[in-house]
Amino acid sequence: MVGDVVVGGDAPIAVQSMTNTPTSDAAATIEQINAIAEAGADIVRVSCPDEASTNALRMICEASPIPVIADIHFHYRRAIEAAEAGAAALRINPGNIGDAKRVGEVVAAARAAGCSMRIGVNAGSLEKHFLDKYKEPCPEAMVESALSHVRILQEHNFDDYKISVKASDVFLSVAAYRQLSAQIDCPLHIGITEAGSLMTGAVKSSIGLGQLLMEGIGDTIRVSLSADPVEEVRVAYEILKSLGLRHRGVSIIACPSCARQGFDVIATVRDLEMRLAHIKTPLTLSIIGCVVNGPGEARTADIGFTGGGHGAGMVYVEGKPDHKLPHNEMVEHLARLVEEKVAQIELATEGMA
Ligand code: SF4
């Protein structure tokens, strides 16, 4: 468990992101966590580099609508403070925080506070003795490092942990996760670290995480982007939606457009995405420029639109042609249809509950 979020087994794959505000600025951090949670994140991670951060953490954990993982490097006192401040989990490598007595104190604080842990091995910060042994960061070194931290937790009879073995190189990361999952049966947090900007990082993460998720590897995911954390959550959901692992919000099926388009497909899809960003209920909407592919795509979508001649196209509801609609009224009309459909679905779901 990370707070009230189940991790591993048959639980849904949890989406994580991380704040980039100074943690000591509790108000700014809470505001960013709210945006991250609103975008659909299940869990958020917050760095605690100093005592001012762990002091602010109590207020942050109390205000956060989702469980908070405190990210700790080296400082065992910060870990204890974070556990006492209400963190749901600690991201910490027990081999890097000092002697057995210190590890014992951190484990005791985590246990007393009901905190789980994540062991987070990163190819860029492998311990020197593993680099000396393997000469360079490689899957074997990363897995051996992870298992060495696991052994320390096991010596303290602590088994509420998940593990990550991240690298910025897709091949290295994927190979490390494959080897790790073959050697240990515990939840894995997966990610391609330092993946880059929104576009580059989204592509790299999709390739790396996509392979792992298709093999059944991964229980929580983070898409690391040099971008607004809210974008990390959006990309994570697009990955999970593409693989049919989780669904959230409106999935717009759209054609790339060409000379046959009856309306400006690209601008319409952009406007609809913005207009419908507030929807959380899963629903499919097809926006297709002409009759070549429009009716076929609309058949399997909840709501569809196919561009036509003479300034108007056809709206499809549950796969069937329903009514004609002028192209220049599309965005608001389709957005309202989607909102009405969502209200119906939510009412039916409440009725079943
Ligand atoms: S569906 Fe029509 S408008 Fe869209 S790309 Fe295909 S042919 Fe072009």
Side-chain angles (χ1 to χ4, degrees):
M1 304 294 295
V2 176
D4 58 0
V5 175
V6 184
V7 171
D10 294 330
I13 291 160
V15 172
Q16 285 190 205
S17 185
M18 187 169 185
T19 54
N20 57 17
T21 50
T23 304
S24 52
D25 185 345
T29 304
I30 291 165
E31 191 182 334
Q32 194 172 58
I33 290 177
N34 284 334
I36 288 169
E38 187 57 32
D42 304 292
I43 299 168
V44 66
R45 181 156 54 110
V46 169
S47 278
C48 291
D50 48 30
E51 204 175 343
S53 301
T54 46
N55 283 341
L57 196 63
R58 186 174 300 277
M59 195 191 283
I60 293 168
C61 292
E62 273 167 19
S64 175
I66 50 178
V68 174
I69 299 179
D71 188 275
I72 312 286
H73 283 277
F74 310 117
H75 297 284
Y76 86 109
R77 287 278 350 145
R78 300 292 91 76
I80 293 169
E81 289 158 9
E84 290 171 349
L90 305 175
R91 189 271 187 174
I92 192 165
N93 290 343
N96 298 349
I97 55 173
D99 59 22
K101 184 170 168 290
R102 288 184 171 186
V103 175
E105 285 179 43
V106 169
V107 169
R111 192 174 274 131
C115 264
S116 48
M117 289 193 199
R118 166 158 67 98
I119 293 168
V121 170
N122 194 315
S125 56
L126 266 179
E127 295 91 341
K128 189 174 173 310
H129 57 281
F130 290 120
L131 282 176
D132 289 344
K133 178 175 172 186
Y134 290 98
K135 310 299 177 220
E136 59 179 7
C138 60
E140 291 75 16
M142 293 167 71
V143 170
E144 195 173 330
S145 170
L147 296 180
S148 72
H149 295 298
V150 165
R151 258 192 308 281
I152 296 172
L153 292 184
Q154 285 173 342
E155 281 162 14
H156 290 84
N157 296 318
F158 190 88
D159 52 16
D160 268 342
Y161 57 82
K162 58 177 180 171
I163 310 177
S164 63
V165 279
K166 296 186 185 179
S168 58
D169 180 271
V170 171
F171 291 97
L172 178 54
S173 230
V174 169
Y177 276 110
R178 281 182 179 143
Q179 288 190 18
L180 183 64
S181 78
Q183 291 188 44
I184 191 162
D185 185 18
C186 76
L188 300 184
H189 169 73
I190 61 172
I192 306 298
T193 196
E194 291 118 27
S197 62
L198 177 55
M199 166 74 93
T200 311
V203 172
K204 273 175 90 169
S205 298
S206 304
I207 292 171
L209 301 187
Q211 287 184 75
L212 292 168
L213 291 166
M214 285 177 82
E215 293 171 22
I217 298 171
D219 300 285
T220 60
I221 71 169
R222 182 195 178 193
V223 174
S224 299
L225 299 177
S226 306
D228 185 331
V230 166
E231 300 292 352
E232 296 189 351
V233 180
R234 292 200 181 121
V235 175
Y237 269 99
E238 290 306 322
I239 293 172
L240 294 174
K241 284 198 285 198
S242 304
L243 295 170
L245 291 170
R246 281 187 79 173
H247 301 280
R248 180 189 161 90
V250 181
S251 294
I252 300 184
I253 300 151
C255 75
S257 79
C258 73
R260 288 194 194 89
Q261 66 183 341
F263 61 96
D264 186 342
V265 174
I266 294 173
T268 304
V269 169
R270 182 199 59 214
D271 292 350
L272 277 167
E273 263 187 3
M274 281 195 298
R275 175 68 178 74
L276 294 170
H278 65 289
I279 305 277
K280 299 186 175 84
T281 302
L283 191 133
T284 50
L285 170 65
S286 70
I287 301 294
I288 307 292
C290 79
V291 291
V292 170
N293 290 323
E297 290 295 351
R299 212 166 287 142
T300 53
D302 293 301
I303 293 170
F305 182 81
T306 298
H310 309 295
M314 179 59 72
V315 176
Y316 293 73
V317 177
E318 286 169 11
K320 297 192 182 64
D322 198 78
H323 55 277
K324 282 202 132 196
L325 174 66
H327 292 145
N328 58 6
E329 293 172 21
M330 281 179 65
V331 172
E332 201 41 44
H333 183 94
L334 290 173
R336 267 190 282 111
L337 278 184
V338 166
E339 284 165 346
E340 282 165 24
K341 181 82 186 159
V342 165
Q344 278 173 20
I345 295 170
E346 285 172 356
L347 209 64
T349 317
E350 272 170 33
M352 276 179 353

